[in-house]
Amino acid sequence: MKARKATPVAKIELLVLDVDGVLTDGRLYFSGSGEALKTFHVRDGHGIKLLMQSGVAVAAVSGRRSPAVTARMRELKVRHVVQGCADKVAALIELTQRLDIDPLACACLVDDTADLPLMAAVGFAAAVADAHPLVLSAAHWISEAPGGLGAVRELCDAMLRARGASRKQ
């Protein structure tokens, strides 16, 4: 899958983030009445805010539905949130058409094999440090931090540096 050369991160216009295992550590907390809690890292949220302020759009796309994701993305002012998504490539295409962005001007940050088609559809495919080995081998970039523990911030910082962001991060 890595045969295509990566789009330079400075040219990325949209970052697509998986949720479970990327914005969270991948653990799901259930009570007797269903999912009760997800944890998000505050530095990931700050990185997302900085990236959006620099002009890069951010989307959260998840195969699951969660009120916690809705609340966190609303808090961060992430406007593009797709939950319960069975086909992330179709979601990417719909989103890029709506935003008038070439899919090759998009990046994704993922962790598991269900996201391999999404990785192939974007110009810059990134993986969290604790991603599945097949995902790691398909990635153009791999974080040092595991999912849910600062990996999103790492990628946001790398993108901001590439874009020449000069303000304090």
Side-chain angles (χ1 to χ4, degrees), residues 131-138:
H132 187 279
L134 290 174
V135 171
L136 294 172
S137 69

Side-chain angles (χ1 to χ4, degrees), residues 85-107:
C85 182
D87 185 345
K88 292 183 183 180
V89 173
L92 172 74
I93 292 168
E94 189 277 326
L95 187 56
T96 56
Q97 287 176 344
R98 185 165 24 105
L99 297 174
D100 194 27
I101 296 173
D102 185 331
L104 294 181
C106 299

